[in-house]
Amino acid sequence: MGRTLSVLTSTAALAAVLTAVAVSGPAAPASAEDNNNGRTKNVIYLLGDGMGRTHVTAGRERFYGANGKLVMETLPAQGYVSTYAVEKKSGQPGQADFRPNLVTDSASSATAWASGVKTYNAALGVDAKGTVVPTMMELAKQAGYRTGNVSTAEITDATPAGQMSHALARGCQGPVYSAAACQDTTVTGAALPTGDVRVTPIADQIARNGTADVIFGGGLSRFDSTDETALKEQGYAVLGSVSSQIPATRTDLNSATGEKVFGLFNKGNLTIEKTKQDNPAAPQAQEPSLPEMTKKAIELLDNKKKDSSGNGFYLQIEGALIDKRSHANDAAQTLEEIKAFDDSVAAALDFAKKDGNTLVIVTADHECAGFNIIEKGSFTNAEAAAPPANVDAGNTANNSATSRPGGNVKDTARSTGIINGAGAGDPRNFAPATFRTPDDSAEVKDGSKEASLWLTYLSGNHTGADVPIYAYGSGSEQLQGSVDNTDLFDIVGNSLRVLR
Amino acid sequence: MNRKRRLLLLAGLLAAALLAVAAFTLRTPAGPSASAAEATPMAAAARTSFPGLVPAAGEPDLPALHTAKPPKGRTAQVAGPFDDRLVLEDLAFDGSAATGAVRVTSDVSDVLELQVLAGFYDHDGALLGTARFVHHLGSDSHNHAGPPEERETFSIAVPAKYLGKAVSAAVGVPVLVNE
């Protein structure tokens, strides 16, 4: 009888353990306080639009000096992301009709990480043949996660829209439909009915699909009173007034509460940080910064204190103006946008460290403008009087280029000096823009030849360079090394366990 | 089978059943509502219909065109949703076309989409009809290989049936998207 009792006791204990495992295992959402069995509970995906490797380096040197680091650079997993797009009607990589386009735009890149497919420039949430593909934010929402989408651009712009819409053309932003902006018969063969989601203005989609619980950004002009009604019917707290076109303010943001919040703080893109710093009394200075929006979005989405189910969240944060000011070749503004973005990374990382079950990913969609750091006192090929010299073409080790005996001197007629600081008013000044760093002595000024950080641009458009990626938290090891932007869909999807 | 054996068999069956439950649970994808997510195809996550949204019936209109009273021989500007992002320059009307330029002041990047809508008016100030200028980046006539352009010139011809009747024009911008 004693042996029987022992067997029964052991069996009961085993059953209790197994029952506990079954009940508290990965299938059940875990509270933030436990270790969640290694499952990623939250994903915060931060994207510096147009932020190439040099943008990061220049930001580091400008704000923290040569021996410093941006916060994003302190994340433990680091690598690079390839970003190429494909042509319209192309197949996917490995298929016979695959036709790559080596320089992506923000729409194609957003679709790559949000939906896991290569598509053509301008496409959102559709593959290169126009087929609708679900987005990570839609999948997360379907699976019960809370969701957020924050940008310093219009919220209908490519990066945020890549998670919350399906459109043949990124220009179909609203508030109204137009055939030129919304249709693409190269892809579809014939014009689609205007009721088809793929030609429905993006603002109309965002206001009605409920994909993101928390929406912060710009672009109020894209929305109208019918959109406001649709938002409120879904339970959104709408900050400011859409129907009266009154942007929300920092005060509105700070006081926002609720499960679903929609706040647009400018009729267009948000105001650049440098303008707000230079004009602190201007109304635009009342717009919240990206770090402020990031902290508030996390606060609203992190419902562990008020929801015992402890469901996690998926949040996308975009520093959009890095790209837009790089298009403008304005290094001073670009640097401040990089700093604001990095401060947002700091906010996300701070939360992740306290939470313990959050994956933080920091990357970019593409590089913009061929941003570069040149040696102090040197000049770019674009400033030279003639193409680069190669006087050694007779040498068999160096004979692959046409011999050019000279010309690699600065053309002083069209490149007369530094373009920022005191030189900003002289239209003949071509490059570079120079900036002091914390390593420079106190008397060194921006825009002087004594400043140590010399920055130049190759063009006003995107380039095809790989972009950096940094990650922290559970699953971040998958981002150590080189990945393609479509891989990010699988990595995030597997972390959230929404892929099948 | 005696009682002891029956108890052992029962305990074994219980343990096996719990093992099976545990194994199944452990290999199950574990989102917050994994069972619900599993039951729904991934493609179903895409939001593709919007009950209550009335599909567009055509190209955009500008309400202000219907109340404008532009002076004879002139092209006036009417309100549109993007007036804080642009300046209309060199507006003119010569009887056959409304001309001018849109200079984007909010961005330095490619203009992806731009539409200028013109209304044409008779001697009494009545709106005769409209015509539009459409810029779409990438179309044959608008494929900028160079740096971003901030200024786009336009010429909107008076529709043939209103030639000779139109004495003034008004223009506005219902569509503007920068890269």
Side-chain angles (χ1 to χ4, degrees):
Chain A
M1 187 63 194
R3 186 167 175 270
T4 301
L5 276 174
S6 173
V7 168
L8 286 172
T9 303
S10 301
T11 304
L14 175 63
V17 168
L18 290 170
T19 302
V21 167
V23 169
S24 65
S31 69
E33 286 72 26
D34 65 26
N35 67 14
N36 218 13
N37 296 300
R39 181 175 74 80
T40 302
K41 181 182 167 193
N42 311 306
V43 173
I44 305 176
Y45 183 90
L46 299 107
L47 178 119
D49 200 308
M51 185 184 73
R53 176 62 248 190
T54 300
H55 288 77
V56 176
T57 306
R60 172 215 304 157
E61 293 174 343
R62 166 66 166 176
F63 297 107
Y64 298 103
N67 194 38
K69 284 186 187 300
L70 292 176
V71 174
M72 67 181 89
E73 295 180 286
T74 68
L75 272 56
Q78 305 198 2
Y80 283 92
V81 183
S82 56
T83 65
Y84 69 89
V86 294
E87 301 290 349
K88 291 177 181 177
K89 303 184 81 167
S90 168
Q92 294 301 305
Q95 296 179 340
D97 56 351
F98 170 60
R99 289 182 294 125
N101 176 346
L102 300 184
V103 180
T104 189
D105 76 345
S106 296
S108 172
S109 191
T111 302
W113 79 70
S115 296
V117 297
K118 291 290 184 182
T119 193
Y120 58 90
N121 287 343
L124 289 167
V126 298
D127 69 14
K129 297 178 181 179
T131 303
V132 169
V133 284
T135 73
M136 183 54 58
M137 198 164 285
E138 289 172 329
L139 290 165
K141 185 71 180 170
Q142 177 178 263
Y145 288 92
R146 304 205 65 228
T147 49
N149 206 335
V150 176
S151 176
T152 50
E154 297 184 76
I155 206 68
T156 52
D157 200 13
T159 299
Q163 293 279 13
M164 304 190 288
S165 68
H166 304 275
L168 294 174
R170 60 179 291 183
C172 186
Q173 293 190 24
V176 292
Y177 164 91
S178 82
C182 298
Q183 299 280 356
D184 192 332
T185 55
T186 305
V187 176
T188 59
L192 298 176
T194 56
D196 190 303
V197 65
R198 295 168 290 176
V199 294
T200 298
I202 292 164
D204 286 340
Q205 297 188 44
I206 291 171
R208 288 163 181 81
N209 60 22
T211 298
D213 296 314
V214 174
I215 297 173
F216 294 149
L220 189 64
S221 296
R222 302 290 176 193
F223 296 82
D224 58 25
S225 58
T226 63
D227 298 324
E228 183 166 12
T229 299
L231 287 161
K232 288 180 174 174
E233 286 175 352
Q234 297 167 81
Y236 282 92
V238 177
L239 310 183
S241 171
V242 177
S243 55
S244 300
Q245 288 290 291
I246 300 172
T249 65
R250 174 185 286 118
T251 304
D252 295 328
L253 178 79
N254 291 339
S255 60
T257 58
E259 297 283 307
K260 299 168 86 72
V261 181
F262 180 89
L264 302 185
F265 303 93
N266 193 304
K267 294 177 77 174
N269 297 319
L270 296 195
T271 303
I272 53 176
E273 286 300 318
K274 187 170 187 302
T275 293
K276 292 192 290 186
Q277 293 167 11
D278 295 345
N279 304 280
Q284 290 83 359
Q286 291 306 305
E287 293 173 13
S289 66
L290 188 62
E292 290 172 314
M293 293 192 293
T294 299
K295 290 173 186 171
K296 188 67 181 186
I298 291 171
E299 174 194 319
L300 290 169
L301 293 172
D302 176 35
N303 57 9
K304 62 177 177 288
K305 293 186 179 71
K306 43 197 170 181
D307 179 356
S308 59
S309 69
N311 288 352
F313 65 81
Y314 175 50
L315 171 62
Q316 178 172 295
I317 306 283
E318 183 199 24
L321 303 182
I322 298 170
D323 177 74
K324 296 187 188 302
R325 303 328 295 164
S326 293
H327 277 290
N329 282 192
D330 191 318
Q333 295 174 343
T334 301
L335 288 168
E336 293 300 331
E337 296 304 324
I338 293 167
K339 179 66 167 60
F341 177 70
D342 195 56
D343 290 345
S344 302
V345 174
L349 185 61
D350 181 57
F351 169 82
K353 286 180 175 175
K354 291 174 183 169
D355 177 74
N357 283 313
T358 298
L359 171 62
V360 176
I361 297 173
V362 183
T363 188
D365 50 355
H366 53 73
E367 200 275 344
C368 186
F371 200 36
N372 227 316
I373 302 166
I374 64 170
E375 185 178 0
K376 184 178 179 180
S378 65
F379 61 91
T380 63
N381 285 348
E383 298 170 85
N390 177 8
V391 295
D392 195 24
N395 182 340
T396 54
N398 187 28
N399 64 357
S400 63
T402 304
S403 176
R404 295 185 182 118
N408 195 27
V409 294
K410 188 174 177 181
D411 184 343
T412 55
R414 62 185 175 85
S415 184
T416 48
I418 294 165
I419 61 171
N420 63 330
D426 187 342
R428 298 171 302 166
N429 291 345
F430 183 91
T434 69
F435 297 88
R436 57 166 286 109
T437 75
D439 301 317
D440 290 337
S441 55
E443 67 275 15
V444 171
K445 305 294 184 192
D446 290 350
S448 70
K449 65 183 187 320
E450 291 79 21
S452 60
L453 181 57
W454 285 42
L455 300 174
T456 65
Y457 289 96
L458 177 68
S459 74
N461 294 307
H462 300 168
T463 72
D466 287 0
V467 294
I469 189 164
Y470 310 96
Y472 169 90
S474 173
S476 62
E477 68 281 355
Q478 300 170 85
L479 295 163
Q480 184 77 35
S482 292
V483 297
D484 185 72
N485 54 7
T486 53
D487 296 333
L488 300 176
F489 173 80
D490 297 315
I491 291 168
V492 173
N494 287 325
S495 292
L496 295 176
R497 307 196 183 185
V498 298
L499 304 182
R500 291 178 299 285
Chain B
M1 188 182 291
N2 62 27
R3 185 168 175 273
K4 180 178 171 183
R5 284 190 173 182
R6 279 201 300 272
L7 280 170
L8 283 173
L9 180 60
L10 189 62
L13 285 170
L14 175 64
L18 286 170
L19 269 172
V21 168
F24 176 80
T25 306
L26 285 169
R27 70 177 179 79
T28 300
S33 57
S35 58
E38 278 198 330
T40 311
M42 281 177 57
R47 309 295 174 93
T48 59
S49 63
F50 312 103
L53 177 65
V54 179
E59 290 298 302
D61 190 13
L62 286 171
L65 281 180
H66 299 272
T67 56
K69 302 289 183 187
K72 183 179 178 184
R74 303 270 297 275
T75 292
Q77 180 178 353
V78 298
F82 305 111
D83 290 348
D84 58 343
R85 308 184 190 191
L86 57 86
V87 175
L88 294 181
E89 299 174 330
D90 303 329
L91 296 182
F93 181 71
D94 65 1
S96 63
T99 57
V102 178
R103 185 164 57 83
V104 176
T105 57
S106 60
D107 284 283
V108 184
S109 58
D110 286 322
V111 176
L112 298 179
E113 307 292 342
L114 171 66
Q115 189 173 119
V116 183
L117 179 60
F120 298 102
Y121 302 82
D122 65 14
H123 276 283
D124 299 324
L127 178 63
L128 295 169
T130 61
R132 62 194 78 225
F133 166 86
V134 176
H135 161 103
H136 172 68
L137 187 68
S139 64
D140 290 343
S141 59
H142 291 99
N143 200 357
H144 298 154
E149 292 188 9
E150 298 162 53
R151 193 172 191 272
E152 187 75 37
T153 58
F154 64 85
S155 177
I156 306 172
V158 176
K161 61 184 175 182
Y162 303 131
L163 275 173
K165 298 176 184 172
V167 300
S168 62
V171 295
V173 176
V175 175
L176 176 64
V177 180
N178 272 79
E179 200 277 339

